[in-house]
């Protein structure tokens, strides 16, 4: 099979011919039809996540068809369309796994980070962490839902019942969450990098009641804000935009250091919380909501061998929505 491989941290991916992986007990082999390009992939390539051990095949927003089934797997058939997310395996034994918090497992494996991912023609997945997707929708359009959608959903749940919701960093996750939030009847305020008029216009086209720069205050205090941009300086900026008792949700797996800030912008029971990974229940809940809300993703196709260009375009904000690799 062909795969784009990270052979050294901080270096471009290299196209390699590798043997097709074989599924072991409890595993599926999936022939990949689309794999979304996530900002977390940049963190893997750049070595910003701990213990990145090359060679690594990145990618964790995978849509494909079951190609081979390992021993002990039930509920799947060859040709079935499935999705493979970031959380690829959990131990099932630690306190977190036993208390409905498998996203915090003490011994997890992550697709495209600590196990081979979707920048390839095939991937082997733990069958317990594969979502059956059905036949509705295009493979490319569905791919971003496997992380941008799932993490977006978990962060939205963490934001509680906030009516006035701020989204900082208007990329793949925000453009999906915006649609869910509007369907729920929330007012959404979108914040982009200063000068990024295209992102602000894109947010307005999806129903934002206001869109501006991250260094601006919204026209009225927010009930909650979700940070998708991995910029620590946005935490105090978002706190300043909150009403009393409001909440800032940090949704990224990696963020630059949060600068010191005056206590008075946290006081009056404002909160800062983080989101880590996802659970399988998040997936079941989100895909049901996505179907009801009629989510539509803005996607930009790249050939598998153009993965480096897709990552560079993502890094520099050259598109709205999400990039998707097609083998």
């Amino acid at each position: 099979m062909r795969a784009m491989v990270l052979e050294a941290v901080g270096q471009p991916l290299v196209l390699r011919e590798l043997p097709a992986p074989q599924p072991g007990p409890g595993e599926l082999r999936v022939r990949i039809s689309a794999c979304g390009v996530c900002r977390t992939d940049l963190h893997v390539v750049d070595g910003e996540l701990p213990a990145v051990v090359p060679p690594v095949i990145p990618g964790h927003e995978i849509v494909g068809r079951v190609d081979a089934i390992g021993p002990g797997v039930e509920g799947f058939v060859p040709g079935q369309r499935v999705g493979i997310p970031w959380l690829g395996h959990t131990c099932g034994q630690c306190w977190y796994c036993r208390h409905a918090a498998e996203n915090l497992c003490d011994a997890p494996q992550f697709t495209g980070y600590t196990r081979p991912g979707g920048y390839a023609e095939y991937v082997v997945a733990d069958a317990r962490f594969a979502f059956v997707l059905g036949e509705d929708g295009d493979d490319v359009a569905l791919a971003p839902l496997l992380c941008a959608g799932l993490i977006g959903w978990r962060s939205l749940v963490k934001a509680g019942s906030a009516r006035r919701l701020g989204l900082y960093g208007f990329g793949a996750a925000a453009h999906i969450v915006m649609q869910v939030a509007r369907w729920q009847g929330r007012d959404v305020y979108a914040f982009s990098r200063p000068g990024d008029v295209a992102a602000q216009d894109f947010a307005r086209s999806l129903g934002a009641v206001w869109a501006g720069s991250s260094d601006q205050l919204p026209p009225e205090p927010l009930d909650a804000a979700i940070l998708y941009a991995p910029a620590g300086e946005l935490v105090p900026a978002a706190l300043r935009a909150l009403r009393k008792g409001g909440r800032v949700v940090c949704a990224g797996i990696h963020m630059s250091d949060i600068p010191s800030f005056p206590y008075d912008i946290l006081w009056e029971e404002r909160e800062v919380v983080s989101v880590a990974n996802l659970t399988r229940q998040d997936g079941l809940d989100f895909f049901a909501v996505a179907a009801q809300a009629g989510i539509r993703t803005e996607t930009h196709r790249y050939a598998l061998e153009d993965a480096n260009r897709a990552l560079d375009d993502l890094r520099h904000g050259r598109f709205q929505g999400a990039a998707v690799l097609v083998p």
Side-chain angles (χ1 to χ4, degrees), residues 149-227:
L150 287 173
I151 292 299
W153 170 253
R154 188 170 181 86
S155 63
L156 184 61
V157 171
K158 280 278 192 181
S161 59
R163 175 60 185 268
R164 294 188 299 274
L165 178 69
L167 302 179
Y168 285 77
F170 205 82
H175 98 285
I176 294 170
V177 167
M178 160 79 79
Q179 296 175 64
V180 177
R182 294 296 300 130
W183 175 75
Q184 293 175 333
R186 304 176 193 241
D187 293 333
V188 180
Y189 299 73
F191 299 81
S192 73
R193 285 178 289 192
D196 192 349
V197 176
Q200 295 166 23
D201 288 343
F202 183 44
R204 292 188 195 98
S205 75
L206 293 175
V209 299
W210 178 88
S213 298
S214 57
D215 56 1
Q216 292 180 284
L217 288 174
E220 52 189 332
L222 304 174
D223 299 316
I226 305 175
L227 274 55

Side-chain angles (χ1 to χ4, degrees), residues 33-38 61 119 138-144 170-172 175 198-199 202 206 296-304 306-307 309-311 313-314 317-327:
S33 54
C35 182
V37 178
C38 178
E61 297 180 333
Y119 287 18
D138 173 74
D139 292 349
V140 170
L142 287 173
F170 205 82
H175 98 285
F202 183 44
L206 293 175
R296 296 291 181 267
T297 55
E298 178 82 9
T299 57
H300 304 270
R301 297 182 182 221
Y302 294 78
L304 175 62
D306 291 330
R309 180 164 62 89
L311 287 166
D313 288 349
L314 172 61
R318 296 189 182 112
F319 56 76
Q320 305 303 323
V324 180
L325 301 181
V326 180

Side-chain angles (χ1 to χ4, degrees), residues 65-122:
R65 300 277 174 177
V66 175
D67 180 72
I69 300 174
V73 175
E74 298 180 353
F76 294 92
V77 296
Q80 193 171 29
R81 187 166 67 165
V82 295
I84 311 299
W86 168 250
L87 186 62
H89 175 85
T90 58
C91 71
Q93 303 297 319
C94 70
W95 187 92
Y96 299 100
C97 285
R98 291 184 287 104
H99 289 82
E102 65 183 9
N103 60 308
L104 302 177
C105 173
D106 284 334
Q109 295 177 15
F110 299 110
T111 310
Y113 173 28
T114 59
R115 58 186 296 144
Y119 287 18
E121 293 177 322
Y122 292 91

